Amino acid sequence: MLKRIQAHSAFILTTFLLLFLGGLTLIPGLPVEPVPDISPQQVMVSVTAPGLAAAEVERLITFPLEASLTGLPEVTDLRSVSRSGVSVVYLQFSDSSDIHLDRERVSQRLQAARDMIPVPGVTLKMGPLATGMGEIMQMQIAGAGYDLVQLNRIMNWTVVPQLKLIPGVVDVNVNGGAEETFQLTLNPARMMAHGVALRDIIQAVDSNNISSGGGFVSAQDEQRVIVGRARIHSLAELGAIPVRMARDGRAIRIRDLGQVEMGTRTRLGAVTRDGRGEIVNGVVLMQNGASSNATLAAIKTALPAIKKSLPPGVTLDIFYTRHKLTRETTGTVKENLIYGAILVFAVLYLVLGDLRATFVIISVIPAALIFALTGMRVTGVSANLLSLGAIDFGMIVDSALVVVEHIIVARHQVRDRQAFHDLAHDILRRVIKPVCFAILIIILVYLPVLTLQGVEGKMFRPMAQTVIMALLASLLYCVFCIPALAAIFLRYGIEDRETRLVRRLRAAYEPALAWCAARTRWVLVATISVFCVSILLAARLGGEFVPKLDEGALLVNTLRLPSAALNTVLRGVTEEERILRNFPEVETVISNTGTSAIPTDPMGTGETDTFIFLKPRATWRTARTEAGLVAKMNAALQDHLPDAAYSWTQPIQMRMDDLLAGTRTELAISIYGNDLTRLSRLAAETVQALRDVPGAADVSSVSEGTMPFIHVDINRDAAARLGISANDITETVEAIGGRIGTAIIADDAIIPTQIRFAAGTVTSPEDIARLMIRRADGGGWVKMGEVAHIQQTEGPSRIDRDGFRRRVIVQANIRGRDVAGFVAAARQEVARRVVLPPGYHMAWHGAFENLQSAVHRLAIVLPIALILMLGLLISALSSLRPALLVFCNLPIAASGGILALTLRGMPFSIAAGIGFIALFGVAVLNGVVLMTQMRIFQKGGMGVAQSAFEAARARFRPVIATAAVASFGFLPMAFSESAGAEVDKPLASVVIGGLISSTILTLFVLPVACARWGGGLSRRGDA
């Protein structure tokens, strides 16, 4: 095959050029994200039942809904949240399942669930086909002269339908304002005067807003469709609906029984901004599997037309897009790759001293990168900090470096271009085996990463896939293109000379090597000592799953009393926003209080998510770090608003934590049991225990305590005696907050009807007891207090369930300490102070679980990969002893990586673990280079010791070059301060530190070890 490559070099180069150009046309469609989407395959089902207490929601809605959804194929978890008026059930499916089929199966079960739920009139809604990372844009709608209700209507019925037509947009979550209704505010006195019961009004409204089809008739050769129409289109038509006939024959109409007006549904939440009051905003949700950059580009194209469709004076303000963070993080990756390529180029030129050779070697970088990006596009891997973060151009050029270095050493042997062409391909034939072996070794150490499952797999498998594709592309380019390019562009017939840098390094190296040769015992003892010290340091590193990404935004979750009224909470939220806006680093502040229209994360009215969008870090004055800024902001809020609890995180981090643990913090402790009172007590004890653990922050219980409820329990005997039906009583109770009825289509909007008592007229048990209910026989009116027991009690504001069992969640963030160390200390403290009664158990959740899972799997798979690596070494070196000596490079390389993490104050993370894996491949290569040269010298008649030290001297330049380009390729990543750089810093630090230590071992310790124990080094090779 190599001879055919030599004979068709021009054709091969042309083919690669065409493939390169083809890849360039595919790359624009590559999905670009700041971080991988770790969302599970999840389906959400929500039910809204305004007025029902949390306990009733759990018993009457959540429990039947859960029972209907059990037994679905591939369900891995079923959890729910029950709040006053809202029930949300989350079903998680295995990652291998088809989400569309999962949703279809859930949809089929919902009909059975409707039949099991004893609450009439509730609607079961399946959440949009979006992931936890699907919130890609937020916008505010505003307009002078328009109130919040009008803006909400414009957003829902003008803006949202157009946005949902855009490819990639699955839904828009509208928050703020209130949903408009055609409202009848009842006048009890008029109802009694006319003898009209509430049930009569409800029946009249529902039965007078209908349409019917009468088929068609044929007349005069025409087909005429018959339609019966009794739809309501305006307030006047609603008010004109007859309810019953008076004794004098006059019709009693809706308008005679109260005030007909435009009203609003009961609000479960609100949105405020910058301390200036309430607003209406929309959150664009991206479809599962769509590309955020493509979707945002489509929205940008459609926005001008959407804005033109708005009423005069109404504007859309886009205050957040994912594009900003994506642009900053991908900019960091581009910056690191560009600087890395420049540094690799500089190192190659300084080591080789030949500009043309450097350009030939460096040409592999764009080729490998384009083919890797094309592979990502084809396989659906998104470009993000992690998938591109492990690409090291130093490793990419290794194979080309080996070939070109051999060519420039031997080029003095030829005097014409054709002979040089033959020499280049002859050298390829000689080095193809070690070159392929080198790439195979690096790919082999990345294979364990491909075995990761769950969240850790979603985050790090794309990284390994990208690196493997880039390495394979570099190998193909090296085999097919490098010899031809070298034959075309390199000069021939000249002697190879070491550069000034290499000569100076060699001048320092030779005496040092001689010193080591004279003190072999001390060198080996020092090496073993360094390894032992690194083991001690590794035990003190601590651990975390992945470093926190600096998103350029903060999120503070504020918890107030669950019984606080929405307007009271909003006053506190507005003041909170004013305090935060006083910080010069803040660009804008948006607060979401309570539950949104699509209750992806149902909150009570006492809970607020405040998004703090920050200016560029270069302009910060209050603090230089995010941790410092959070400390100052938290102190300001605690000083001015001490009546609330604050928990700090970042928007994407919050979503990731919620997906991992079901809370908005880094750590969640679930306590399972049945008795809510006992669960609350255990949660309080756990909170106190956690607060005493160093590093704990924002510790609280997710169950916010109790809130007052007014229970109206029917006295069945009294109701039966007085002729009052249970339905009459419950309809009267429902009308206190507003009974939602049939919908009216008006002006391209669907607006429900609502029947209610006047707001503020019924506020206490006494007011409810005085409400009048008409007897079924029409023989008079009865007070509510005569047919029902009315009392005010305390009840839970939220009930969580997981796996069909109740649970309470204690949440906490971790600051100033590694996650793994904190969790270990917290487990001990909680176990010591919290005693669980029989039937109760505790589970710990958070990112640390993914760290443990990944470490456990790598602990099984990585040794297998290392054994395979040892087998390859034995095959390449034809003997066990040299393979073991080369293998000793790994612990020393690991020592350097551990020391680098220690010096930089970084805990062990999976990113650092990937760094160790990449390091092992490069470290083994340098040992193989040295051992191969030793075998050549020994076959020439040299003794073991002499061959060891002569091989170190002879291969000094390629060893230095390989280690230098790999280290300098990661240097920009290790010290970058750009957005997102903190995610890849541990990986780069480990590689650089490990390559320094492994290079020292290769050049100093390995020759000493071979001279001492390498007696049988070439026996099989000589045979």
Side-chain angles (χ1 to χ4, degrees), residues 774-851:
R774 194 163 188 263
R775 294 176 56 170
D777 59 5
W781 295 76
V782 176
K783 290 183 179 180
M784 176 78 77
E786 297 180 41
V787 292
H789 302 294
I790 305 170
Q791 59 180 340
Q792 182 170 315
T793 61
E794 296 289 322
S797 60
R798 166 178 174 149
I799 301 175
D800 288 273
R801 295 168 63 90
D802 186 13
F804 239 65
R805 291 201 68 190
R806 285 177 170 176
R807 67 169 177 171
V808 65
I809 304 173
V810 175
Q811 61 185 11
N813 283 317
I814 302 162
R815 298 200 187 104
R817 188 173 182 178
D818 71 284
V819 176
F822 175 85
V823 171
R827 282 181 184 274
Q828 293 181 355
E829 186 68 14
V830 171
R832 185 178 66 86
R833 296 172 54 175
V834 180
V835 179
L836 297 178
Y840 289 71
H841 71 277
M842 185 179 291
W844 295 64
H845 308 286
F848 74 93
E849 289 181 296
N850 304 103
L851 173 64

Side-chain angles (χ1 to χ4, degrees), residues 83 228-229 294 304 333 371 400 446 591-592 624 668 801 811 853 978:
R83 283 191 174 277
R229 300 189 298 179
V333 173
F371 286 121
Y446 270 99
S591 298
N592 293 334
R624 303 307 304 171
R801 295 168 63 90
Q811 61 185 11
S853 174
S978 302

Side-chain angles (χ1 to χ4, degrees), residues 744-761:
I744 296 172
I745 300 176
D747 299 329
D748 294 327
I750 302 174
I751 305 173
T753 57
Q754 180 175 214
I755 301 171
R756 62 169 300 155
F757 293 106
T761 59

Side-chain angles (χ1 to χ4, degrees), residues 623-787:
R624 303 307 304 171
T625 64
E626 182 182 288
L629 185 61
V630 167
K632 295 289 182 64
M633 288 180 170
N634 190 63
L637 292 178
Q638 294 284 5
D639 289 343
H640 293 86
L641 298 170
D643 58 339
Y646 305 97
S647 176
W648 293 84
T649 181
Q650 300 179 104
I652 292 180
Q653 181 188 344
M654 180 267 289
R655 288 298 175 202
M656 292 177 68
D657 289 334
D658 190 33
L659 291 170
L660 294 174
T663 66
R664 296 152 175 271
T665 54
E666 298 171 83
L667 177 65
I669 306 172
S670 295
I671 307 173
Y672 294 86
N674 292 320
D675 186 85
L676 292 175
T677 303
R678 182 172 291 182
L679 285 173
S680 297
R681 179 181 58 79
L682 293 172
E685 293 175 359
T686 306
V687 167
Q688 292 301 320
L690 273 183
R691 284 176 176 166
D692 293 337
V693 179
D698 309 328
V699 183
S700 63
S701 173
V702 173
S703 61
E704 305 140 10
T706 61
M707 61 184 300
F709 293 97
I710 299 176
H711 289 285
V712 180
D713 297 316
I714 297 175
N715 184 335
R716 298 188 183 276
D717 291 337
R721 186 176 63 256
L722 295 173
I724 303 295
S725 68
N727 192 55
D728 289 337
I729 297 174
T730 56
E731 285 182 343
T732 303
V733 171
E734 195 174 357
I736 296 173
R739 184 200 183 272
I740 301 301
T742 180
I744 296 172
I745 300 176
D747 299 329
D748 294 327
I750 302 174
I751 305 173
T753 57
Q754 180 175 214
I755 301 171
R756 62 169 300 155
F757 293 106
T761 59
V762 183
T763 59
S764 66
E766 293 75 20
D767 293 335
I768 297 175
R770 286 192 290 267
L771 292 176
M772 305 300 293
I773 306 173
R774 194 163 188 263
R775 294 176 56 170
D777 59 5
W781 295 76
V782 176
K783 290 183 179 180
M784 176 78 77
E786 297 180 41
V787 292

